[in-house]
Amino acid sequence: IAIEKNSLEDAIQEFDRIEYELSVNFQRLGSKAKRLDTVERLEVLHDIFRPEQIGNFNNKLPNGTNSFDYERIKRERTSTKDYICPDSMKFNSKDFLIGDRYARCEYIGNLPSYMADTFLAKLTDTHFPMITTISIKAVEPHEAMKIVKHQILGMESNKIEQQKKAMRAGYDSTMINHNLKLSLDEAEELLEDLQSRNQKMFLVSFLVMHMAKTKNDLDKNSEILSSVARTHLCQLLKLGFQQEEAFRQVLPFGHNLL
């Protein structure tokens, strides 16, 4: 969870409130949410940056303890980064290397108007390591209506152009592209929801990062995930020349860079 506040005190209060609400909601689902301490957060990052050493983070702590000796780290002029950073990283146009493992970041695009709640479960039911990150940002109501009205204006202009072409070709002027008509209907319905039904708009980016030992296995994994996406009427799309930005967004820091 990442939030923007004017002071640390305000942020702590907001985090406490969110943590309580999450705890209550997870209990209703028969599960629970737990705040991670510093060592646990570093272990999560270690297993991402060093996939070949997953589960071995505690072996690197002094004397087998579950805590850091910060005074010792200070004396040795090192930092916690030395315990989690990979040996090397190399970013290419459509994939990258973390140590000796191949990785690729892709995003879910062309989302349908409705998606079954089983999609995420089926997408992550794989035999290979992967991370899914869903970044959600609420849009202020007046900004949301401005965005939707601008989209409707653009689609109305396209509609008029298509009607003119139909008339020139001798066809019925009411004939327009089916996808355009569907998009226009959905946009007008969304505007009605924002104006009359007190609904909110959210900007969502859905990223998937998966890893493999070879480039060939990485391509096979991409096809498996693409197949799952297609069955739910959406697409898994590659991020060309944006792998580094996507990787930074996948990390649990709350960055939304795409």
Side-chain angles (χ1 to χ4, degrees), residues 45-53 60 80-91 96-101 211 247 251:
L45 294 172
H46 169 273
D47 290 349
I48 295 173
F49 284 114
R50 296 187 176 184
E52 74 283 355
Q53 299 178 20
K60 299 180 180 181
T80 54
K81 296 177 183 178
D82 295 295
Y83 289 83
I84 65 173
C85 66
D87 294 330
S88 63
M89 294 189 73
K90 180 183 178 182
F91 290 93
F96 57 100
L97 279 165
I98 306 180
D100 62 352
R101 300 296 174 94
M211 297 183 184
F247 177 65
L251 295 174

Side-chain angles (χ1 to χ4, degrees), residues 144-157:
M145 285 189 284
K146 186 186 298 184
I147 292 171
V148 176
K149 287 179 180 178
H150 181 73
Q151 290 178 336
I152 291 175
L153 181 62
M155 286 186 283
E156 288 286 3
S157 298

Side-chain angles (χ1 to χ4, degrees), residues 175-203:
M175 294 180 61
I176 61 171
N177 182 277
H178 175 72
N179 290 334
L180 176 60
K181 184 179 184 303
L182 184 61
S183 298
L184 190 55
D185 290 342
E186 290 179 347
E188 289 174 345
E189 183 179 353
L190 176 58
L191 183 61
E192 179 67 19
D193 287 340
L194 294 171
Q195 291 177 328
S196 307
R197 299 173 189 145
N198 197 30
Q199 297 294 308
K200 293 184 178 180
M201 176 187 284
F202 296 89
L203 299 178

Side-chain angles (χ1 to χ4, degrees), residues 74-141:
K74 191 183 299 182
R75 289 195 304 270
E76 294 176 349
R77 295 185 179 182
T78 60
S79 74
T80 54
K81 296 177 183 178
D82 295 295
Y83 289 83
I84 65 173
C85 66
D87 294 330
S88 63
M89 294 189 73
K90 180 183 178 182
F91 290 93
N92 304 313
S93 60
K94 294 183 179 180
D95 52 54
F96 57 100
L97 279 165
I98 306 180
D100 62 352
R101 300 296 174 94
Y102 288 86
R104 176 177 293 150
C105 290
E106 304 180 75
Y107 73 98
I108 304 295
N110 300 326
L111 294 171
S113 56
Y114 170 80
M115 180 173 287
D117 56 7
T118 57
F119 171 63
L120 186 59
K122 291 183 178 180
L123 186 71
T124 55
D125 185 18
T126 62
H127 63 278
F128 47 84
M130 65 177 295
I131 301 173
T132 58
T133 297
I134 304 175
S135 300
I136 304 173
K137 182 178 180 181
V139 181
E140 292 294 333

Side-chain angles (χ1 to χ4, degrees), residues 55-73:
N56 295 331
F57 177 71
N58 286 334
N59 296 335
K60 299 180 180 181
L61 298 181
N63 301 322
T65 63
N66 290 325
S67 62
F68 276 101
D69 184 348
Y70 291 100
E71 291 300 322
R72 176 183 174 183
I73 290 176

